[in-house]
């Protein structure tokens, strides 16, 4: 149980284009989903927290107009990187939490974004 | 400020035992997680401790002392596939997950 999928697993795009990443909880309903970014050899950095049906809460320094998050259902959240630039190249990982605030976060496999 | 400390890197031998320590200073405490992350992959959940003591799960055990702000992950009978980074994360009083930088564990034959 507690399987989270992400699509695509990797993407290469040109500078200035937008990229959408999907995160799905396959066998449970996720009340809350989280989006992280991880640069090589660095720790996870939380970008935003989203609850189904409400606006995402962004961490300080994360541009909400650049990283659009939609959590339309209890099993799907999407992250759109708008007008991507090379510095946005990173490993983007989502996680989903089924129950309350102390419940475990289960991670998707991650999406490696390379912006040329 | 909030702080989680764990060693950057450790080396151990296949078949041996290794203990990875984690100390934390956070605003409140609602539990501590250990995750395993292989290179190029997302983290996978290993354990969750909210009460003091040792939780054993197969070859892996996790210990917590809330009064000392301290936890460790114990890995027994090490296998080559255990080579990975091990992340310690604490849920603070706002139920925010505060992440350590991770400990890279290298297993040698």
């Amino acid at each position: 149980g507690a399987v989270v999928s992400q699509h695509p697993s990797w993407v290469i795009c040109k500078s200035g284009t937008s990229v959408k990443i999907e995160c799905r909880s396959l066998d449970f309903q996720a009340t809350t989903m989280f989006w992280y970014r991880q640069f090589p050899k660095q720790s996870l950095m939380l970008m935003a927290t989203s609850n189904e049906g409400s606006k995402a809460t962004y961490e300080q320094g994360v541009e909400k107009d650049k990283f659009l998050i939609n959590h339309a259902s209890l099993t799907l959240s999407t992250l759109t990187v708008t007008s991507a630039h090379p510095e946005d190249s990173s490993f983007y990982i989502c996680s989903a939490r089924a129950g309350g605030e102390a419940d475990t976060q289960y991670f998707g496999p991650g999406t490696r974004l390379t912006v040329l | 400020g909030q702080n989680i400390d764990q060693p950057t890197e450790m080396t151990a031998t296949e078949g041996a035992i290794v203990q990875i320590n984690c100390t934390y200073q956070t605003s409140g405490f609602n539990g501590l997680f250990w995750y395993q992350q292989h290179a190029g992959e997302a983290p996978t959940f290993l354990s969750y401790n909210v009460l003091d003591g040792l939780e054993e799960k197969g070859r892996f055990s996790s210990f917590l002392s809330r009064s000392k702000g301290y936890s460790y992950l114990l890995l027994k009978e090490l296998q080559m596939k255990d080579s990975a980074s091990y992340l310690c994360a604490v849920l603070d009083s706002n139920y925010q997950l505060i992440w350590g930088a991770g400990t890279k564990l290298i297993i040698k034959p």
Side-chain angles (χ1 to χ4, degrees):
Chain A
V3 179
V4 178
S5 70
Q6 261 182 262
H7 177 80
S9 54
W10 60 270
V11 58
I12 301 173
C13 68
K14 291 182 179 179
S15 187
T17 60
S18 294
V19 175
K20 181 188 279 190
I21 303 170
E22 290 188 352
C23 176
R24 292 182 186 272
S25 56
L26 299 185
D27 54 358
F28 66 101
Q29 292 187 322
T31 53
T32 306
M33 286 185 169
F34 303 85
W35 286 97
Y36 291 86
R37 182 165 54 181
Q38 188 175 35
F39 293 105
K41 298 185 179 180
Q42 293 189 22
S43 187
L44 293 170
M45 188 188 81
L46 179 66
M47 298 175 67
T49 301
S50 75
N51 293 294
E52 184 263 340
S54 61
K55 289 184 179 180
T57 302
Y58 290 81
E59 295 300 302
Q60 196 171 12
V62 178
E63 300 174 56
K64 61 181 180 180
D65 294 330
K66 180 168 181 63
F67 298 99
L68 302 178
I69 291 172
N70 184 280
H71 192 163
S73 78
L74 284 172
T75 58
L76 173 65
S77 176
T78 60
L79 168 68
T80 302
V81 183
T82 62
S83 187
H85 289 96
E87 57 266 30
D88 298 325
S89 297
S90 187
F91 191 41
Y92 290 87
I93 313 171
C94 75
S95 70
R97 188 175 69 197
E101 294 166 314
D103 274 17
T104 302
Q105 289 184 32
Y106 294 94
F107 286 85
T111 297
R112 191 160 301 283
L113 171 64
T114 302
V115 184
L116 302 176
Chain B
Q2 314 223 72
N3 196 48
I4 300 198
D5 286 317
Q6 47 180 135
T8 305
E9 188 175 295
M10 298 182 71
T11 303
T13 306
E14 189 177 15
I17 299 173
V18 71
Q19 178 175 310
I20 303 174
N21 295 324
C22 171
T23 57
Y24 61 89
Q25 292 168 313
T26 56
S27 55
F29 178 84
N30 280 299
L32 184 146
F33 293 85
W34 282 98
Y35 284 85
Q36 179 191 60
Q37 185 176 24
H38 284 100
E41 298 180 12
T44 55
F45 169 75
L46 290 178
S47 67
Y48 171 67
N49 294 67
V50 67
L51 299 176
D52 290 349
L54 187 69
E55 297 265 350
E56 296 186 73
K57 196 185 289 185
R59 293 189 298 116
F60 292 7
S61 303
S62 57
F63 171 83
L64 174 67
S65 169
R66 288 171 296 172
S67 62
K68 295 181 180 177
Y70 167 69
S71 173
Y72 67 73
L73 181 69
L74 190 72
L75 292 77
K76 302 177 184 176
E77 300 169 19
L78 286 170
Q79 301 175 9
M80 297 303 292
K81 67 178 182 180
D82 297 330
S83 293
S85 286
Y86 291 85
L87 310 176
C88 173
V90 172
L91 265 179
D92 69 7
S93 57
N94 294 320
Y95 291 94
Q96 289 269 70
L97 203 54
I98 311 300
W99 292 89
T103 298
K104 183 179 180 181
L105 177 63
I106 299 168
I107 310 295
K108 294 185 175 180

